[in-house]
Amino acid sequence: MKVREVFLQGKYKDGTGCEDGYLINDDFVVVVDGATSQKEYLWDGKASGEYAKDLILEAIKTMPADTDCNSCFEILHGRLKSQFAKGKAVPIWEELRASLLVYSDYYQEIWCLGDCNFMVNDCLYENGKKVDTVIAEVRSMLIRSLLAEGKSEADLLRKDVSRDLIMELIKRQYYLENMDCEFGYPELNSTSLNTHMIKRLKVKKGDRIVLATDGYPELKATLEESEQEMKRVLQEDPLCYKIYKTTKGLQEDMVNYDDRCYVSFVV
């Protein structure tokens, strides 16, 4: 296994509170995207997404090389669950949760739970959530209505009122995590685990792999190409409601609409 490119950057200009992370050792390559928190409750001074990310990476460091797919996620779920049990009662949207990609060198497999994206030999595997698409469309409509009402894009870059308006929808979606229904979606969290939702892909020696969080509008085969596409989108659509619709856009204190992590390697 040969690592080619590694990059990690938080969304805030001051570099604080990054909820993405990665781990590379002899047995695993891992990319983690801690879920965006509303920061109503802190875990040891950290938002839930950042804290969940740290717990996951620490747990994987101690896993034997031959840990299989289901066992890996059961261990990680148990780690989040045990820490969650030590905390005070918190609303569902402040629980510990993350999406992640795991490459196991022992099994030569990629395991995916959540909405991180990956590539194998330039073939893109996207893992977006239908519920995010629906909420992003609602946000796009709201932004257009706010602009028609008289607000400017500059106003919304200072204070994204649309984000406030969709917040109840975002909070409701968490009740659908790991459910086998139309708007259900997979996530590693502290209260449930649906191993049937884990995606597994066998790879082979010599395959070129890219693992990344969803901070890139379009994942490319190289870091430079992925960064260039991200910069193009943010220049043309900084609020992310036209050419790339998301549930959140750029704000004045941000360098991107989300944290981002990119790791590429050859098996």
Side-chain angles (χ1 to χ4, degrees):
M1 183 172 60
K2 180 181 179 181
V3 177
R4 301 171 70 191
E5 296 182 298
V6 177
F7 182 77
L8 173 67
Q9 184 169 22
K11 58 182 173 285
Y12 293 109
K13 292 178 180 178
D14 63 8
T16 61
C18 184
E19 295 169 325
D20 287 4
Y22 68 91
L23 170 70
I24 302 171
N25 61 25
D26 292 339
D27 305 315
F28 301 102
V29 179
V30 182
V31 163
V32 182
D33 182 356
T36 301
S37 168
Q38 308 312 314
K39 299 181 180 178
E40 296 175 10
Y41 181 89
L42 298 180
W43 300 82
D44 290 346
K46 297 179 180 179
S48 58
E50 183 180 8
Y51 190 64
K53 175 256 298 184
D54 291 344
L55 290 175
I56 290 166
L57 293 178
E58 285 299 320
I60 291 176
K61 287 179 183 178
T62 64
M63 284 188 186
D66 61 352
T67 304
D68 63 36
C69 178
N70 282 3
S71 296
C72 171
F73 286 96
E74 286 166 358
I75 290 169
L76 297 177
H77 168 63
R79 184 79 171 107
L80 296 186
K81 185 177 180 179
S82 65
Q83 288 300 308
F84 178 67
K86 297 177 183 178
K88 299 177 182 178
V90 298
I92 191 171
W93 50 87
E94 291 294 348
E95 292 179 14
L96 303 174
R97 54 172 54 85
S99 296
L100 70 156
L101 294 163
V102 179
Y103 166 71
S104 165
D105 198 53
Y106 183 90
Y107 293 101
Q108 291 196 339
E109 287 183 341
I110 296 170
W111 307 329
C112 174
L113 187 64
D115 59 3
C116 294
N117 301 316
F118 62 96
M119 299 183 76
V120 179
N121 297 328
D122 300 334
C123 180
L124 176 62
Y125 294 82
E126 294 184 292
N127 299 291
K129 302 180 294 192
K130 183 174 182 178
V131 68
D132 278 351
T133 301
V134 171
I135 297 176
E137 290 286 353
V138 172
R139 178 174 173 271
S140 177
M141 179 275 291
L142 289 170
I143 289 177
R144 293 175 192 276
S145 73
L146 291 165
L147 295 174
E149 186 183 21
K151 290 190 179 293
S152 67
E153 288 195 355
D155 292 332
L156 296 177
L157 285 169
R158 285 189 292 271
K159 172 59 178 174
D160 187 1
V161 182
S162 71
R163 181 74 178 178
D164 298 333
L165 293 172
I166 63 170
M167 190 51 61
E168 187 59 31
L169 293 176
I170 290 173
K171 290 179 177 180
R172 296 306 304 177
Q173 79 176 54
Y174 296 123
Y175 291 96
L176 303 175
E177 280 182 350
N178 299 317
M179 290 187 63
D180 294 307
C181 65
E182 181 180 1
F183 294 102
Y185 61 93
E187 191 88 345
L188 181 70
N189 67 33
S190 49
T191 56
S192 65
L193 176 65
N194 188 340
T195 55
H196 297 293
M197 286 183 159
I198 301 170
K199 295 182 179 179
R200 300 171 61 175
L201 183 70
K202 190 75 176 176
V203 296
K204 62 185 186 301
K205 196 73 174 176
D207 282 348
R208 292 171 284 110
I209 312 295
V210 176
L211 308 180
T213 57
D214 64 349
Y216 289 100
E218 186 174 349
L219 188 60
K220 301 287 188 179
T222 68
L223 175 61
E224 182 180 5
E225 291 173 310
S226 300
E227 287 283 309
Q228 286 178 347
E229 177 62 12
M230 181 202 74
K231 291 174 183 177
R232 182 191 71 81
V233 168
L234 291 181
Q235 183 174 18
E236 297 181 18
D237 185 21
L239 286 170
C240 299
Y241 76 102
K242 294 182 292 188
I243 63 175
Y244 181 66
K245 299 176 184 178
T246 68
T247 60
K248 53 193 173 185
L250 201 62
Q251 296 284 273
E252 287 186 334
D253 58 345
M254 295 179 177
V255 295
N256 191 17
Y257 63 90
D258 203 355
D259 306 322
R260 64 197 192 274
C261 182
Y262 184 107
V263 176
S264 67
F265 60 97
V266 178
V267 176

